[in-house]
Amino acid sequence: MSELLSRHRAVMPSWLPLYYESPLEIVSGKGSRVTDADGRTYLDFFTGIVTNMIGYDVAEVREAVERQIAKGVVHTSTLYLIRGQVELAEKIARLSGIPDAKVFFTNSGTEANETALLLATYARGSDEVLAMRGSYHGRSFGTVAVTGNRGWKNSSLSPLNVHYLHGTDRGAPAFRGMSEKEYVTACVADLRDVLDTTAPNVACLIAEPIQGVGGFAMPPDGLYAAYKEVLDEHGILFVADEVQTGWGRTGSSFFGIGNHGVTPDAMTFAKGLGNGFAVGGVVARGDLMDRLHALGVATFGGNPVSMAAAGATLDYVLEHDLQGNALRQGGLIIDGLRPLTDLPSVSDVRGKGLMFAVEMVDPNTGAPSAELAGRVLEGTRERGLLVGKGGVHGNVLRMAPPLTLSAEEAAEGRDLLLDAVRAVDAQA
């Protein structure tokens, strides 16, 4: 055991996971690559959990932060005007497509989702919330309550009355063999049944367009449009959790919910917007945002340094058409990975843009195999590639490279992953 790992275990919680049998300390990075404390360099296909969105050591972001720090002001609180905050909010409001949108900045996706839940439950005068099976929305009391993934739920206690919907479980016995259209019809019928029998006064549906921690599980495009027709009949609000799917990552849409042809009442965001700096927030209809009657601040939310980083990051994404690059490089990778489904230990390859996954199963039983996923995780590291792991059963390799990924890097990472998965399959 390394000295740093020993110290980590002595003072950090036991429930704070570390990847790899010999955990990694990343000490530097440039572009799409990082270097560990032993001097080994890796191609990074996980980017600090979908967070270093445009890579490492980006001059435009670094210089924007340095300019702000040089002014001597890293914090003022939201009790004072912050020019960078207003300018960034204007851009996000415009890009959101939400009518008369307003923005509230937080420090994380967890805080953003807490804020959205507060807005919706207050506006509707109800503690009833719809969420998706397999979802993840944060680690706080309220966001754990709406998380539909038992591996991340520490308590059955809840400030909310939550009802879970179908949407990413098309392979379940009840739906197996259905076409996408038949599956959407069945999901909508179930939603109506939930509203008729157990949830008479719902505040909102909160949903990830692609489930992040859930292993990049995806509902069929158009499911949320079909859900929203029903929600609108009842006046129920729709919150899109874009913490992992925003800013062009899916390639085909700037926000993930756009793949469903839906404009939500509110969207939450975080992670990639700051390219590593702590930033999150909610963009919502102005009337919904303004409805709260009590005062509220975010002491560190929207601070000048994070706003400088986030503004520079968003400008970089737009000026370099990184949504288009995500579509191109994601297509190259996902198409190249599809032959893996011919292997007995791979049940699925899925994704949109630079957000894709490989699902591992026991080759004899077809049951989810977290053990094989763990072996692939180790195998990719040995080959110089960093990937993530997730899924309700912990059996999914999930990847979200920087949106700046080049075609050469995309091919390199794809081939390293192919080699690692095939090696594990041969052993299995």
Side-chain angles (χ1 to χ4, degrees):
M1 184 187 300
S2 73
E3 183 244 357
L4 184 59
L5 176 58
S6 178
R7 290 164 58 193
H8 178 281
R9 289 181 173 168
V11 296
M12 308 298 284
S14 60
W15 42 262
L16 189 67
L18 289 167
Y19 274 171
Y20 307 117
E21 293 176 5
S22 298
L24 191 65
E25 179 191 3
I26 294 173
V27 297
S28 64
K30 183 73 175 178
S32 299
R33 300 180 191 272
V34 294
T35 301
D36 69 14
D38 295 323
R40 185 173 184 195
T41 297
Y42 304 85
L43 181 60
D44 187 1
F45 264 29
F46 199 42
T47 59
I49 318 181
V50 202
T51 297
N52 298 301
M53 181 168 67
I54 59 174
Y56 297 86
D57 194 22
V58 179
E60 288 84 347
V61 176
R62 183 181 67 252
E63 290 165 4
V65 170
E66 288 173 347
R67 284 194 299 271
Q68 182 59 47
I69 292 174
K71 296 177 181 178
V73 177
V74 298
H75 173 73
T76 64
S77 91
T78 52
L79 295 174
Y80 301 91
L81 288 169
I82 302 173
R83 184 172 297 274
Q85 185 184 84
V86 174
E87 292 172 347
L88 182 58
E90 289 171 338
K91 293 174 186 176
I92 292 172
R94 182 178 68 252
L95 291 165
S96 74
I98 296 173
D100 303 314
K102 290 193 173 184
V103 180
F104 178 76
F105 289 106
T106 66
N107 302 288
S108 68
T110 291
E111 284 185 59
N113 285 329
E114 284 280 356
T115 303
L117 291 168
L118 174 63
L119 292 174
T121 54
Y122 182 82
R124 293 277 292 163
S126 169
D127 66 351
E128 290 190 289
V129 171
L130 301 172
M132 304 299 292
R133 299 184 185 194
S135 62
Y136 175 83
H137 297 287
R139 56 175 170 73
S140 64
F141 193 44
T143 55
V144 162
V146 294
T147 288
N149 185 329
R150 68 179 183 180
W152 296 86
K153 291 178 79 76
N154 286 301
S155 175
S156 61
L157 301 175
S158 172
L160 300 166
N161 187 358
V162 184
H163 310 270
Y164 293 99
L165 303 179
H166 298 286
T168 59
D169 54 359
R170 190 174 158 200
F175 307 114
R176 198 170 295 152
M178 286 185 176
S179 68
E180 283 194 358
K181 183 178 180 181
E182 290 169 336
Y183 177 65
V184 170
T185 298
C187 288
V188 171
D190 178 69
L191 168 59
R192 289 191 181 279
D193 187 59
V194 168
L195 296 177
D196 287 343
T197 60
T198 60
N201 183 32
V202 172
C204 69
L205 165 64
I206 183 169
E208 303 158 276
I210 298 175
Q211 292 180 345
V213 174
F216 294 173
M218 298 186 294
D221 285 351
L223 173 72
Y224 291 128
Y227 273 175
K228 195 169 187 305
E229 287 185 13
V230 179
L231 301 180
D232 288 347
E233 292 172 11
H234 297 265
I236 298 168
L237 300 169
F238 181 48
V239 178
D241 179 342
E242 297 278 354
V243 169
Q244 296 197 30
T245 50
W247 321 117
R249 177 159 293 280
T250 68
S252 50
S253 178
F254 194 69
F255 291 102
I257 199 61
N259 293 303
H260 292 263
V262 169
T263 299
D265 299 288
M267 290 193 292
T268 59
F269 57 85
K271 289 192 180 289
L273 179 61
N275 203 49
F277 283 82
V279 60
V282 182
V283 53
R285 288 185 353 234
D287 63 311
L288 179 60
M289 188 73 82
D290 286 340
R291 194 168 299 182
L292 298 181
H293 71 278
L295 299 175
V297 300
T299 301
F300 295 107
N303 71 78
V305 175
S306 290
M307 293 297 94
T313 299
L314 183 55
D315 287 347
Y316 194 99
V317 168
L318 297 171
E319 291 167 5
H320 292 81
D321 185 26
L322 295 191
Q323 178 183 338
N325 191 58
L327 185 64
R328 291 188 297 274
Q329 309 314 333
L332 185 155
I333 295 170
I334 295 167
D335 288 346
L337 295 177
R338 292 206 187 280
L340 289 176
T341 56
D342 294 333
L343 301 178
S345 62
V346 177
S347 66
D348 194 22
V349 170
R350 56 179 174 265
K352 283 185 184 293
L354 285 175
M355 191 172 190
F356 49 92
V358 176
E359 186 162 355
M360 306 298 295
V361 294
D362 185 294
N364 297 311
T365 66
S369 179
E371 191 265 335
L372 291 183
R375 284 162 61 182
V376 175
L377 191 79
E378 295 287 347
T380 54
R381 178 191 175 176
E382 291 170 7
R383 290 163 173 78
L385 178 70
L386 302 184
V387 303
K389 194 160 71 79
V392 173
H393 303 287
N395 66 314
V396 180
L397 285 308
R398 58 185 181 125
M399 289 141 282
L403 301 187
T404 50
L405 195 74
S406 69
E408 293 76 18
E409 291 167 334
E412 177 189 350
R414 175 202 63 200
D415 292 346
L416 292 173
L417 182 61
L418 285 168
D419 189 51
V421 174
R422 285 168 174 158
V424 168
D425 178 79
Q427 296 166 358

